[in-house]
Amino acid sequence: MRPLAISLAMCGMVLMAQAAFAQRDAGSKITGDAYRIGSSSVYQQHAYDNAQTLQYYAQQAKSVPKETIKAHVAQIRQNVEFSNKELAGLEEKAKTDKVVAQHLTAIKEYHAKALESCGMADECAEMAKDNSATLAPCCVDMAKHLKAAKEEHEKLAKYLKVAPIKTTK
């Protein structure tokens, strides 16, 4: 009876090991261009969300606290930087594919314009009172450029046949 128990235990371990390896293989399929596109999309969305939040606050309040402006602008900069780092992984493909190159160039231009607006928002943060009148247009521009970058990013993903990341709500 004892050899039967040992045999069953060995079979169970082999089956569990196969299941563990199968799970790892399925998860490892998210690599290369698909990962870069998906990851940069998430960073892109976070930057856009922060710009929209700051824009809403600037439109609703007479003055936005310096710390709030600085925090959102820092998040926008960081997410744009991370998005650009992920997209940099597509530079080799852009050398041989003009469509990819065009999309990457457009996204970089929109990101650069959004970062310019971040600089203007930083200047607004230094104003003591009633900074919303000057902050709101900066935020509108920032959100506009990030939205354009997002749309360009979606075109790139579609061209590369990379499905968007599905998020839960």
Side-chain angles (χ1 to χ4, degrees), residues 22-124:
Q23 288 174 354
R24 186 173 63 197
D25 289 340
S28 66
K29 290 180 183 177
I30 304 172
T31 59
D33 296 346
Y35 174 79
R36 287 184 181 91
I37 293 292
S39 181
S40 65
S41 175
V42 171
Y43 293 127
Q44 175 71 43
Q45 184 62 49
H46 288 315
Y48 181 58
D49 290 343
N50 272 281
Q52 284 186 304
T53 301
L54 192 55
Q55 175 185 346
Y56 177 78
Y57 197 0
Q59 290 171 339
Q60 300 302 313
K62 190 171 184 176
S63 186
V64 180
K66 177 180 180 176
E67 299 79 22
T68 301
I69 297 170
K70 295 282 189 184
H72 283 286
V73 168
Q75 286 296 307
I76 293 164
R77 282 190 173 114
Q78 182 180 40
N79 282 291
V80 166
E81 177 186 330
F82 287 161
S83 180
N84 285 338
K85 280 184 182 179
E86 291 297 339
L87 291 173
L90 297 173
E91 292 295 333
E92 281 299 313
K93 185 181 271 306
K95 290 178 183 177
T96 59
D97 190 325
K98 290 181 183 180
V99 175
V100 172
Q102 289 170 345
H103 288 302
L104 290 178
T105 299
I107 292 168
K108 288 178 189 177
E109 288 173 1
Y110 289 127
H111 281 172
K113 290 176 184 175
L115 293 175
E116 284 177 32
S117 296
C118 284
M120 289 185 264
D122 277 335
E123 290 174 16
C124 292

Side-chain angles (χ1 to χ4, degrees), residues 37-38 41 154 157 161-167:
I37 293 292
S41 175
E154 289 167 355
K161 296 180 176 96
V162 175
I165 293 177
K166 296 187 190 237
T167 57

Side-chain angles (χ1 to χ4, degrees), residues 11 15 18 38 61 87 117 142 156-157:
C11 287
L15 290 174
Q18 285 179 336
L87 291 173
S117 296
M142 204 183 310
L156 174 62

